[in-house]
Amino acid sequence: MKKVGVNDAELAYRDEGAGPPIIFLHAFPLNQSMWDDQRPALASNYRVITFDWRGFGESSLGGGTSTMGVFADDLAGLMNELGIDRATICGLSMGGYAAFAFYRKYAARVAALVLANTRSNADTEDGRRRRYEMVEVARQSGLSALADKMIPKLLAPITSKTKPQIVRWVRSMIEGNQAEGIARALIGMAERPDSTALLLEINCPTLVLVGSEDGLAPPSEAEKMGRLIPDARLEAIQGAGHLSNLERVDDFNRALVDFLERS
Ligand code: MLT
């Protein structure tokens, strides 16, 4: 793992393989190791970059709220540091929210987009209220308490039942984070703008992926994005919940490689 100073934070990243670059944006409240099963599948043909958002994993907290715009600027800064002008951007859930913010600011730097288990709408009032309750959970009760609340929503029931190693992996990613980093990203997500109008302006090849059992970013949201983005392909990963890339590794990787080969 390497580290580089970007804006007012230090970002931990991995940079492996050679070929056209693909940069993975991790979900909340995880870290870049959620992509451990994607890296080996791609690194023989692509330059694969993963990193921890500020306040997650081994990246430093930086200053201020971790808005999706701040994340977008961090991604642009990381690309500058790594000498990458354009890349395929693959974001899952919060990674997708950040991908929208990046596209809004830096469209010319996006060669292709993968939007996995994400949604374009902003939070509802109720959703925003629940985010701020979670901020209190993170700050007052800590990340084990947050993991208890979130894991049942992140994984399909069948995954929780049959793949205890995945449950343990997700828990260790959550508990390995910094409570304040999690709190700041929760506020950043609560404040994110609606990106639905942006979908119509996305003019690069786009893959929309969804887990058939995803309750947080449900298939109806993915279908909407697939309809509104002009050059989009939609694929449902059967049996996967919200973390489709680690619940159904082979199906996720096959869809991704197939898309990358064609785009
Ligand atoms: C994520 O997986 O990144 C989060 O569930 C996103 C969210 O809470 O909206």
Side-chain angles (χ1 to χ4, degrees):
M1 183 104 61
K2 294 180 186 150
K3 292 197 177 179
V4 66
V6 168
N7 301 321
D8 62 348
E10 188 173 51
L11 300 184
Y13 70 96
R14 293 177 71 178
D15 179 2
E16 287 174 17
I22 174 163
I23 306 179
F24 287 93
L25 312 183
H26 72 76
F28 174 91
L30 308 183
N31 64 47
Q32 65 178 310
S33 63
M34 71 170 274
W35 302 113
D36 281 356
D37 288 334
Q38 276 64 57
R39 216 179 280 111
L42 294 175
S44 46
N45 292 314
Y46 298 92
R47 181 175 176 189
V48 182
I49 288 123
T50 63
F51 66 101
D52 295 327
W53 293 119
R54 59 171 60 211
F56 288 78
E58 295 184 30
S59 291
S60 73
L61 194 52
T65 298
S66 300
T67 63
M68 298 306 107
V70 167
F71 280 169
D73 290 340
D74 285 350
L75 171 55
L78 179 65
M79 289 171 74
N80 294 344
E81 291 293 333
L82 299 181
I84 297 171
D85 182 35
R86 283 178 98 222
T88 294
I89 304 294
C90 174
L92 191 143
S93 197
M94 182 183 76
Y97 309 159
F100 290 134
F102 186 76
Y103 196 90
R104 201 175 267 120
K105 289 182 149 190
Y106 306 102
R109 303 191 73 170
V110 183
L113 259 184
V114 183
L115 299 169
N117 303 83
T118 194
R119 54 199 168 96
S120 62
N121 52 340
D123 283 356
T124 58
E125 268 314 304
D126 211 37
R128 223 168 267 136
R129 186 183 48 71
R130 281 197 302 270
R131 292 263 190 229
Y132 283 96
E133 285 169 9
M134 293 293 268
V135 171
E136 288 314 303
V137 171
R139 284 182 174 152
Q140 310 298 335
S141 311
L143 296 181
S144 295
L146 188 116
D148 291 343
K149 287 189 186 295
M150 283 214 67
I151 290 173
K153 297 185 192 156
L154 293 172
L155 300 171
I158 185 79
T159 306
S160 298
K161 208 161 150 193
T162 60
K163 297 183 176 166
Q165 72 283 10
I166 292 187
V167 181
R168 282 197 296 274
W169 181 17
V170 170
R171 178 172 284 280
S172 78
M173 283 191 271
I174 297 175
E175 292 180 352
N177 277 322
Q178 308 155 51
E180 186 54 24
I182 292 297
R184 291 188 193 182
L186 280 162
I187 298 168
M189 286 193 288
E191 290 177 5
R192 77 187 190 283
D194 192 293
S195 294
T196 308
L198 180 76
L199 300 176
L200 299 163
E201 292 167 28
I202 294 178
N203 63 10
C204 62
T206 301
L207 174 64
V208 178
L209 287 174
V210 64
S212 64
E213 311 305 311
D214 189 342
L216 289 176
S220 56
E221 280 298 320
E223 282 155 21
K224 181 188 78 183
M225 294 194 292
R227 259 196 325 275
L228 293 179
I229 298 172
D231 183 10
R233 191 195 318 181
L234 170 67
E235 283 217 34
I237 299 184
Q238 295 307 320
H242 190 56
L243 300 180
S244 61
N245 73 306
L246 47 85
E247 291 181 67
R248 289 284 188 274
V249 174
D250 292 345
D251 293 341
F252 186 97
N253 289 355
R254 183 201 40 74
L256 183 56
V257 168
D258 195 44
F259 170 73
L260 292 173
E261 282 172 358
R262 291 205 226 164
S263 62

